[in-house]
Amino acid sequence: MEDAKAKLVNVHQAKTTLSQLLQDVEHGEEVVIARAGTPIARLVAWSPPPRTVAAPGAMRGQIDTADDFDEPLDALFDALQ
């Protein structure tokens, strides 16, 4: 279902007036592109995806490090020979 405030344009009109349509979108308007009167695409303003990297310290208390994590790995290398 298309939004009542969206501007409906046909494919040919969209191709010939793309710059103007982009300006309209920048000003908050939504554009629906139709082929033979049937909506096929919606042109909306781009918004960045939500931040996916947690802030520093966000996992405090959730990660444990073994007491011997920095011990030499000599025994491991001996096993590989």
Side-chain angles (χ1 to χ4, degrees):
M1 175 180 235
E2 72 186 63
D3 193 338
K5 66 178 180 173
K7 177 190 289 190
L8 183 68
V9 296
N10 65 39
V11 174
H12 177 75
Q13 182 182 4
K15 289 194 297 188
T16 58
T17 61
L18 181 60
S19 293
Q20 179 60 48
L21 294 175
L22 291 174
Q23 286 181 347
D24 294 345
V25 167
E26 286 178 324
H27 290 100
E29 200 169 331
E30 186 175 301
V31 177
V32 174
I33 301 171
R35 180 181 293 129
T38 303
I40 57 171
R42 186 170 45 137
L43 186 61
V44 295
W46 181 84
S47 61
R51 183 181 169 114
T52 57
V53 177
M59 296 188 72
R60 179 169 291 151
Q62 298 179 29
I63 299 174
D64 291 324
T65 305
D67 292 334
D68 65 349
F69 83 98
D70 59 351
E71 293 293 318
L73 299 174
D74 295 337
L76 174 65
F77 292 116
D78 290 342
L80 295 175
Q81 292 181 5

